Every structure is written in structure tokens, then in C-alpha cells.
């Protein structure tokens, strides 16, 4: 089981966002562990204040180091009490990180516990990041208002690779990116919809021909929509 521990100022976002559909079911069934811990609960000052002005000036506020550190320490201690003695990954969601992809998702799906830190406002005091963060991960070259949506994206992508999460074990490895190609087009009933027929080969029952057709479609589709995937160094299949 992979356990995700999200450090955030908005725990409901995480719990509600992942509590539905396949991720929700896999949490209920115990294939995936999820807790969202409120950093504010670790601000041991009068008003549970977690942010302050930025030294040197500039717009906005910064999350202070101490509440983030205390929150991390509490979560780390609980994970250790649970018996995990392996080095822990603490991922900071930031546009300055390595850009998330299927390869990283696969790598993370082998971890027992993953701590994910979500920033807000203008970010987090650099000193605590230096102290606790092992990985900086971005979900793309654009700036969001906080790390919660990126954390949910990462958790969703990693969860569906964990055995038991998808009903059909095979369905995660025929999909887009799994072999560096986009997925082939798919069809369901009816056989003719508004005059458009399902490709004949798919009705033939000839498994080998179906596989050949799908593979060819994947290559065509990738060349059309994501030619960058075919030209990338390390491409394993063409
Ligand atoms: N926080 C704000 N923008 C982000 C992004 N693009 N990826 C990860 N975390 C972020």
C-alpha cells in the first residue's frame, strides 16, 4: 500500500478532490492511504498564523518555516511509528520542479509513504525547504495559486498504477505513454452511430489483426498529435 501524506493549508480540497470515483474507492478499500494534514494546526502562536511579510520587500506573504517544519516532523514521526524505516520522499509541488510525467508516476508508485508539501501565497521560507524537501515536482509550465491541485494530479496518476486500484489490471499498460505512444481510438455500441461505422477490423474477432491495427493507429495518432514523443531520445519503439 502506498500512503500519501499531504501537508496543506486546505486539507478539505485534497480529501474532497480525491474522495470520488476510482481514487475514492481505492482509498475506501485500503489500496491507497491518504491523509491531509493542516499546517495551521502546527502554528503554535496566538492566532495560528502561518504567513508573514517577505524580507527584502515584494508583494504578498510567505508561509513561515516553523509551522511547516513542525507539521512535517509530526507526520514523519507517525510514519516511523508505523514501521517504515526507509528513507522518506518529501515532494514539494512547485513550478520550479522536475516536470511530472508517467515515468515519475511509475517510480513513485513503488514508495511506501510519500509526503507532499503544498505551498500557498508567494511560497514557503527557503530554509525549511532546504531542510525537509527531497524532490521538487512541477505539473507543467504555468503558475497555479497553490500546490493542492498539483498534489491531486500527482496522487491520481500514481494511485492508478498501484495494484488493485484499477479493476482491469491490464488497462494501465495499454494506455497512452505506457510505451511512449498515445492510445489508439476506441469504440463501443452501437455499430453505426449517426452514419459513422466502427472500423471493420474491430468486428472481425481476429485478435492478431486487431492488435496490428491498434498499434498502427497509435503510431499515426502520436505522429499527428505529439510528434515530440517520437523524436525524443530514449524512444524505445520506432
Ligand atoms: N504550484 C504552483 N504552480 C505549480 C505547478 N505548475 N506545478 C506544481 N506546483 C505548483
Amino acid at each position: 500500500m502506498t500512503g500519501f501524506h499531504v501537508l496543506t493549508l486546505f486539507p478539505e480540497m485534497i480529501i474532497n478532490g480525491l474522495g470520488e470515483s476510482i481514487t475514492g474507492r481505492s482509498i475506501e478499500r485500503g489500496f491507497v492511504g491518504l491523509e491531509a494534514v493542516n499546517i495551521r494546526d502546527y502554528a503554535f502562536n496566538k492566532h495560528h498564523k502561518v504567513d508573514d511579510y517577505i524580507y527584502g520587500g515584494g508583494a504578498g506573504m510567505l508561509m513561515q518555516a516553523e509551522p511547516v517544519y513542525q507539521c512535517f516532523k509530526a507526520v514523519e514521526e507517525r510514519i516511523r511509528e508505523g514501521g517504515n524505516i526507509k528513507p522518506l520522499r518529501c515532494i514539494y509541488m512547485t513550478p520550479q520542479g522536475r516536470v511530472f510525467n508517467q515515468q515519475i508516476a511509475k517510480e513513485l508508485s513503488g514508495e511506501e509513504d510519500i509526503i507532499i508539501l503544498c505551498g500557498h501565497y508567494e511560497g514557503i521560507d527557503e530554509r525549511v525547504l532546504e531542510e525537509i524537501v527531497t524532490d521538487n515536482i512541477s505539473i507543467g509550465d504555468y503558475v497555479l495559486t497553490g500546490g493542492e491541485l498539483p498534489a491531486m494530479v500527482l496522487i491520481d496518476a500514481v494511485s492508478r498504477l498501484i495494484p488493485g486500484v484499477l479493476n482491469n489490471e491490464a488497462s494501465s499498460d495499454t494506455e497512452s505513454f505506457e510505451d511512449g505512444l498515445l492510445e489508439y481510438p476506441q469504440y463501443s455500441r452501437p455499430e453505426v452511430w449517426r452514419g459513422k461505422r466502427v472500423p471493420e477490423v474491430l468486428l472481425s474477432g481476429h485478435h492478431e489483426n486487431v492488435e496490428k491495427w491498434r498499434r498502427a493507429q497509435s503510431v499515426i495518432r502520436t505522429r499527428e498529435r505529439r510528434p515530440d514523443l517520437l523524436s525524443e531520445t530514449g524512444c524505445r519503439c520506432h
Side-chain angles (χ1 to χ4, degrees), residues 93-95 137-147 150:
M93 304 312 305
T94 166
I137 295 184
S138 165
I139 63 159
D141 291 339
Y142 41 83
V143 181
L144 300 169
T145 57

Side-chain angles (χ1 to χ4, degrees), residues 1-2 4 18-34 155-156 159-160 162-166:
M1 202 251 275
T2 304
F4 296 98
L18 294 169
E20 301 282 340
S21 186
I22 296 175
T23 49
R25 207 170 49 232
S26 56
I27 293 161
E28 276 168 28
R29 293 188 181 169
F31 294 117
V32 172
L34 178 67
I155 293 169
D156 187 299
S159 293
R160 58 185 292 294
I162 295 168
V165 169
L166 299 184

Side-chain angles (χ1 to χ4, degrees), residues 50-63:
V50 290
D51 60 326
D52 209 332
Y53 297 103
I54 304 172
Y55 279 120
M61 307 282 268
L62 206 62
M63 283 167 69

